[in-house]
């Protein structure tokens, strides 16, 4: 891992076509401007982690009834029809 110090207005270049510029520094918050080709995805790390967790969850096997229970009773799994708001379960 490379660790650099940059001040507001300074930048760094990654490869031939990616530039990261420090726009501002305000206490512990740093604003960056990233210039990269359109075909290179730029994502916040927390979104990458959430997407990986989503994929892992999707790969777990569950019965249809378990999946319906996760929806919080949106569908009545006994009749496979939308649950009525005032309807009591049997």
């Amino acid at each position: 891992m490379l660790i650099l110090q940059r001040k507001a207005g300074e930048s760094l270049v990654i490869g031939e076509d990616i530039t990261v510029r420090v726009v501002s520094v305000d206490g512990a918050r740093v604003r960056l401007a990233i210039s990269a080709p359109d075909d290179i995805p730029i994502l916040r790390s927390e979104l990458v982690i959430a997407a990986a967790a989503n994929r892992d969850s999707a790969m777990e096997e569950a019965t249809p009834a378990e999946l319906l229970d996760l929806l919080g009773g949106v569908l009545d799994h006994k009749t496979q029809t939308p649950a009525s708001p005032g309807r009591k379960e049997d």
Side-chain angles (χ1 to χ4, degrees):
M1 175 186 296
L2 175 64
I3 299 174
L4 300 171
Q5 292 184 15
R6 302 276 76 200
K7 296 177 183 175
E10 295 181 334
S11 62
L12 61 101
V13 177
I14 301 171
E16 294 180 8
D17 50 5
I18 300 173
T19 302
V20 180
R21 185 171 53 89
V22 178
V23 176
S24 66
V25 179
D26 184 21
R29 184 167 288 236
V30 177
R31 294 183 70 206
L32 302 173
I34 303 169
S35 174
D38 291 339
D39 62 331
I40 297 179
I42 301 171
L43 300 171
R44 296 185 320 234
S45 60
E46 60 270 20
L47 294 179
V48 174
I49 292 167
N54 231 3
R55 279 192 300 278
D56 291 345
S57 296
M59 294 177 74
E60 293 178 12
E61 292 186 24
T63 66
E66 291 171 325
L67 294 173
L68 290 171
D69 287 340
L70 289 174
L71 293 173
V74 172
L75 292 177
D76 180 2
H77 62 272
K78 293 179 184 175
T79 62
Q80 296 297 308
T81 59
S84 300
R87 183 173 159 194
K88 292 185 179 181
E89 293 292 322
D90 295 327

